[in-house]
Amino acid sequence: GESVGLHLPTLSVQEGDNSIINCAYSNSASDYFIWYKQESGKGPQFIIDIRSNMDKRQGQRVTVLLNKTVKHLSLQIAATQPGDSAVYFCAENRRAGSYQLTFGKGTKLSVIP
Amino acid sequence: DAGITQSPRHKVTETGTPVTLRCHQTENHRYMYWYRQDPGHGLRLIHYSYGVKDTDKGEVSDGYSVSRSKTEDFLLTLESATSSQTSVYFCAISESPGHALYGYTFGSGTRLTVV
């Protein structure tokens, strides 16, 4: 697949442990955030989203936390599995009403069996 | 990816030649986007479309043009390919305004190599 993992921060996690992937954003006016997962050779896939009027949102095995004070977003993956190995991107909607997303550079998650 | 198809999946072309990449969707989504993905840069927006014949530039539009003559098709053209345009290109689609979900659906990508 495409070598999109070069030059990326890497997080290595033991199978079964929890993973925390962090993302800093720059625009305090951003009102919507999304986490995407990208496996090798594939396009990014939607994982979970959160609006700026929320602090936390939970999905299946994933939780997104938003700290607007420090402009920080995190993705928590519970009981990490080998299938979670991928590059994870955060994305923000910097202009309300716009459908343009700005993406972070990504973090590569490697799960150790 | 369901509902969105990119073609070709891989292409090698020579410097100075024109190249057109195609994105086709079956979701009837209004918004379509072209991104390029490079190591160290993440996904960067090239051009986007908010309707038939309605397009606008993104942050890295130099050297690229787009066209959207039908809702389902969004074409990206490199008029004269350069080695700096070697990249993986992704098309994405999103719902019309008023829908609660802003997220994109991405295609599987086109790997373009300019030699």
Side-chain angles (χ1 to χ4, degrees), chain B residues 32-80:
Chain B
M32 299 186 75
Y33 311 81
W34 276 107
Y35 281 85
R36 61 177 290 174
Q37 186 175 42
D38 305 287
H41 291 281
L43 287 157
R44 293 182 292 173
L45 181 65
I46 305 171
H47 282 278
Y48 68 100
S49 170
Y50 47 95
V52 173
K53 298 188 179 180
D54 291 324
T55 65
D56 207 347
K57 296 179 179 180
E59 62 179 297
V60 291
S61 59
D62 288 347
Y64 302 95
S65 63
V66 289
S67 66
R68 191 164 177 204
S69 58
K70 299 184 291 184
T71 298
E72 56 266 36
D73 289 325
F74 192 32
L75 304 180
L76 176 70
T77 297
L78 291 66
E79 299 292 345
S80 178

Side-chain angles (χ1 to χ4, degrees), chain A residues 28-97:
Chain A
S28 57
S30 294
D31 65 348
Y32 181 69
F33 304 87
I34 307 174
W35 280 100
Y36 285 91
K37 172 186 180 183
Q38 186 176 24
E39 296 174 284
S40 181
K42 297 183 179 179
Q45 294 177 289
F46 175 94
I47 302 174
I48 191 168
D49 60 354
I50 188 169
R51 296 185 185 278
S52 58
N53 61 354
M54 303 170 68
D55 297 321
K56 179 179 179 179
R57 191 164 188 217
Q58 289 183 292
Q60 186 177 13
R61 279 203 309 120
V62 294
T63 300
V64 55
L65 299 177
L66 176 62
N67 185 330
K68 295 180 285 295
T69 302
V70 295
K71 291 184 283 198
H72 183 268
L73 195 67
S74 69
L75 176 70
Q76 300 179 358
I77 304 173
T80 311
Q81 302 169 358
D84 294 327
S85 294
V87 176
Y88 291 82
F89 297 94
C90 64
E92 62 183 300
N93 179 353
R94 290 181 173 176
R95 289 192 295 134

